[in-house]
C-alpha cells in the first residue's frame, strides 16, 4: 500500500472550512483514498473515500487531483466536535485488506 | 443502526496471564479486523478474517491468536501478557464483496492494561 504524508497538526476557526491535505505520490491505479478520524481514544470513524473522482457526503468532500498524487479533505463548516486526528489512507480494495494508519493530522477547531 | 460491539471494554491483567477479547461485527458483515493502538501511537493492524478464514496478517505477535466463528464474531486470544501489550484494541468489520471498495466500521475498543 502507498504511503501518505500529512501535516502533523492544523488549526481551524469554528464555522470555517477545514482543508486537510494528503500526499500519496506513489499511489497505484487500483488504490482508493480513504479518510478516517479518531476523536480522543474512540474507535476510528469513517468519513469518505474515493478512487479518482471527487466525492461528497453529509460529512465532508474529498478532492483528488487529476494525477491522484494528492487529495484534500474538506469539512465545510468545522465545529468544535470536529477536533480529532484525521487519517488519510490509501489501499487496494480487496476483501480483508488492512488499513495502514499513518501519523495523521491533529485538527483543532478553535472557538 | 447497529455498530460493532467489543467486550470487555476494559480489562486489567497481570504479566504472564492470558486475555480474550471479543468482537461482534455489524449484522451481515463477514469480515473482521483487529488493530492495536499503543499509548500515543497510531492504530497498527494485527489480523483479519473473511468468511471465517484468515485473510491478512500484520504485526501480530506469536503469543496472540485469533479466529472468526460461524456467527462471524471474532476472538483475539493473548497469552503470556507483557507490559508492552497494554493498549487499546480495536475491532472493525466490513462487508467483503471481493474487489469492490468498502469501508471498515470500528468498534469502541477494549482497553487492556497489563500490570
Amino acid at each position: 500500500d502507498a504511503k501518505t504524508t500529512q501535516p502533523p497538526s492544523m488549526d481551524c476557526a469554528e464555522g470555517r472550512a477545514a482543508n486537510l491535505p494528503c500526499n500519496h505520490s506513489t499511489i497505484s491505479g487500483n488504490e482508493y483514498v480513504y479518510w478516517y478520524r479518531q476523536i480522543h481514544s474512540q474507535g476510528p470513524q469513517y468519513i469518505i473515500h474515493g478512487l479518482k473522482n471527487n466525492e461528497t457526503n453529509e460529512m465532508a468532500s474529498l478532492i483528488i487531483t487529476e494525477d491522484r498524487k494528492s487529495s484534500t479533505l474538506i469539512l465545510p463548516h468545522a465545529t468544535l466536535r470536529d477536533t480529532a486526528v484525521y487519517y488519510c489512507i490509501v489501499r487496494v480494495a480487496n476483501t480483508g485488506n488492512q488499513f495502514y494508519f499513518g501519523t495523521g493530522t491533529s485538527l483543532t477547531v478553535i472557538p | 443502526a447497529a455498530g460493532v460491539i467489543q467486550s470487555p471494554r476494559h480489562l486489567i491483567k497481570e504479566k504472564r496471564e492470558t486475555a480474550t477479547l471479543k468482537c461482534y461485527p455489524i449484522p451481515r458483515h463477514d469480515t473482521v479486523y483487529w488493530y492495536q493502538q499503543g499509548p500515543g501511537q497510531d492504530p497498527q493492524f494485527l489480523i483479519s478474517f473473511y468468511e471465517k478464514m484468515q485473510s491478512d496478517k500484520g504485526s501480530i505477535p506469536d503469543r496472540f491468536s485469533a479466529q472468526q466463528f460461524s456467527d462471524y464474531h471474532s476472538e483475539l486470544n493473548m497469552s503470556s501478557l507483557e507490559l508492552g501489550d497494554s493498549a487499546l484494541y480495536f475491532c472493525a468489520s466490513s462487508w467483503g464483496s471481493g474487489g469492490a471498495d468498502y469501508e471498515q466500521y470500528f468498534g469502541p475498543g477494549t482497553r487492556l492494561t497489563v500490570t
Side-chain angles (χ1 to χ4, degrees):
Chain A
D1 286 343
K3 291 185 177 180
T4 61
T5 304
Q6 299 177 251
S9 63
M10 291 181 62
D11 292 338
C12 178
E14 187 179 17
R16 304 296 294 269
N19 297 282
L20 292 89
C22 179
N23 287 320
H24 31 80
S25 58
T26 59
I27 192 171
S28 300
N30 61 348
E31 288 184 310
Y32 285 74
V33 179
Y34 288 78
W35 282 85
Y36 278 75
R37 71 181 182 184
Q38 186 174 29
I39 298 173
H40 195 41
S41 294
Q42 298 178 22
Q45 178 189 21
Y46 167 79
I47 301 173
I48 199 168
H49 75 284
L51 182 61
K52 52 184 176 182
N53 296 323
N54 297 337
E55 302 288 343
T56 296
N57 62 21
E58 64 278 5
M59 289 184 67
S61 294
L62 173 60
I63 308 299
I64 303 174
T65 58
E66 191 169 346
D67 62 7
R68 303 207 327 121
K69 294 185 176 181
S70 65
S71 60
T72 301
L73 177 74
I74 301 173
L75 306 178
H77 305 286
T79 70
L80 299 179
R81 288 176 294 181
D82 292 323
T83 293
V85 177
Y86 288 76
Y87 294 99
C88 169
I89 302 164
V90 294
R91 64 187 284 274
V92 175
N94 284 335
T95 302
N97 272 21
Q98 58 179 290
F99 281 130
Y100 285 98
F101 286 85
T103 53
T105 295
S106 178
L107 175 69
T108 301
V109 180
I110 302 169
Chain B
V4 176
I5 297 172
Q6 291 187 246
S7 68
R9 294 293 309 279
H10 301 272
L11 189 60
I12 300 175
K13 292 286 186 177
E14 295 187 355
K15 280 175 27 178
R16 292 179 289 278
E17 286 192 318
T18 61
T20 297
L21 309 185
K22 296 184 179 183
C23 170
Y24 298 87
I26 292 172
R28 291 183 296 281
H29 281 192
D30 52 15
T31 309
V32 170
Y33 310 77
W34 286 97
Y35 292 83
Q36 177 192 58
Q37 186 173 28
Q41 298 179 4
D42 304 299
Q44 298 295 315
F45 172 76
L46 293 178
I47 196 167
S48 63
F49 293 87
Y50 167 63
E51 282 291 344
K52 292 149 281 186
M53 299 289 289
Q54 180 181 309
S55 57
D56 201 1
K57 192 172 182 180
S59 53
I60 183 169
D62 292 340
R63 299 177 289 108
F64 294 6
S65 64
Q67 58 182 324
Q68 186 180 31
F69 295 86
S70 58
D71 63 351
Y72 296 104
H73 94 273
S74 177
E75 295 184 2
L76 178 66
N77 300 294
M78 310 159 71
S79 62
S80 302
L81 287 170
E82 301 173 356
L83 296 178
D85 297 329
S86 295
L88 270 169
Y89 290 83
F90 290 108
C91 171
S93 75
S94 69
W95 179 65
S97 54
D101 60 302
Y102 57 90
E103 55 267 27
Q104 296 179 17
Y105 293 90
F106 284 76
T110 293
R111 183 175 295 280
L112 172 66
T113 302
V114 181
T115 62

